[in-house]
């Protein structure tokens, strides 16, 4: 029985730690630092709630909760789908970069974000193992999404086309630009 409890604890630790592909930058082990951060959080709790609500209202990144949102966005152009979790540090660190991309590509491409803790059905649909996990959807063929790979080829296999982990902004820009270039060739023919 004791071994079973230990095994369950270890399993829970592995599952909890598997949420992100990259480690967080800082770990607070200093008691004073933890207390200072806690005090700041307590003092600013109402300000933070207001800021979060304002940010969500002003965001250009589409928060996806259903596949229909992706489908509708495809009419406008390629859709960058970042899949993450509110508990994942690298996922949260990507938010400002996603906002920049959404502003830069407004009207030509849609930048979306899926929170797997809020949308477990989308987590299952996209078969997410690690977050952040990003892919660029460029169309729908026979009811399946078509994804653009780094080399410019398209595939229905999301695993071949995904960008795993937190990358530099240029990685996402290059993929979006490639999709827009290919889309331009299709419309000019």
């Amino acid at each position: 029985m004791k071994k079973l409890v230990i095994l369950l604890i270890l399993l829970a630790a592995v599952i909890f730690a598997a949420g992100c592909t990259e480690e967080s930058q800082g770990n607070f082990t200093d008691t004073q630092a933890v207390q200072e951060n806690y005090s700041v959080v307590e003092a600013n709790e109402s300000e933070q709630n207001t800021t979060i609500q304002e940010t969500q209202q002003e965001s250009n990144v589409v928060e996806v909760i259903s596949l229909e949102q992706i489908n509708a966005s495809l009419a406008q152009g390629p859709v960058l789908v970042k899949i993450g979790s509110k508990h994942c540090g690298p996922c949260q660190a990507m938010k400002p970069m996603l906002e920049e991309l959404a502003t830069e590509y407004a009207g030509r491409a849609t930048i979306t974000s899926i929170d797997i803790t809020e949308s477990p059905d989308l987590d299952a649909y996209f078969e997410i193992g690690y977050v952040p996990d990003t892919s660029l959807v460029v169309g729908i063929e026979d009811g399946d999404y078509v994804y653009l790979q780094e080399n410019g080829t398209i595939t229905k296999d999301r695993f071949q086309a995904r960008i795993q982990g937190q990358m530099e902004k240029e990685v996402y820009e290059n993929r979006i630009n490639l999709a827009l270039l290919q889309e331009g060739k299709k419309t000019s023919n």
Side-chain angles (χ1 to χ4, degrees):
M1 182 68 172
K2 194 175 191 180
K3 289 180 182 179
L4 180 62
V5 170
I6 292 172
L7 183 62
L8 287 173
I9 290 171
L10 288 173
L11 180 63
V14 168
I15 290 172
F16 182 77
C20 290
T21 58
E22 297 178 14
E23 294 181 19
S24 297
Q25 291 294 324
N27 292 328
F28 288 104
T29 55
D30 181 57
T31 306
Q32 184 178 1
V34 171
Q35 289 173 343
E36 288 173 5
N37 284 333
Y38 183 71
S39 297
V40 170
V41 169
E42 276 185 342
N44 294 322
E45 186 174 296
S46 63
E47 285 181 25
Q48 289 174 353
N49 287 339
T50 303
T51 303
I52 289 171
Q53 290 172 351
E54 289 172 357
T55 301
Q56 288 176 345
Q57 292 172 354
E58 297 173 9
S59 177
N60 292 324
V61 176
V62 177
E63 297 293 329
V64 173
I65 57 172
S66 72
L67 294 176
E68 288 77 23
Q69 289 173 281
I70 297 172
N71 298 349
S73 296
L74 278 169
Q76 182 177 325
V79 180
L80 184 77
V81 180
K82 191 276 297 181
I83 304 169
S85 168
K86 62 184 172 186
H87 304 294
C88 169
C91 301
Q92 297 305 309
M94 289 177 70
K95 283 186 172 186
M97 184 256 317
L98 292 174
E99 281 294 335
E100 290 176 20
L101 290 172
T103 302
E104 288 175 31
Y105 291 97
R108 298 180 295 149
T110 304
I111 311 302
T112 67
S113 180
I114 297 173
D115 186 331
I116 59 172
T117 57
E118 302 293 325
S119 301
D121 53 329
L122 295 177
D123 178 14
Y125 178 84
F126 287 109
E127 299 177 11
I128 302 305
Y130 296 98
V131 293
D133 185 329
T134 308
S135 52
L136 187 69
V137 181
V138 293
I140 300 175
E141 190 176 288
D142 300 325
D144 296 322
Y145 288 126
V146 177
Y147 303 93
L148 185 71
Q149 298 181 81
E150 183 178 10
N151 64 5
T153 60
I154 60 169
T155 181
K156 289 184 181 181
D157 184 358
R158 195 181 74 79
F159 293 102
Q160 291 180 3
R162 67 185 177 174
I163 304 167
Q164 214 169 4
Q166 179 184 1
M167 299 294 179
E168 297 295 320
K169 182 179 173 185
E170 291 78 29
V171 172
Y172 305 101
E173 287 176 323
N174 291 342
R175 190 78 58 100
I176 295 169
N177 288 337
L178 187 56
L180 291 171
L181 182 64
Q182 289 183 357
E183 186 177 83
K185 286 180 182 176
K186 287 181 191 173
T187 57
S188 64
N189 289 339

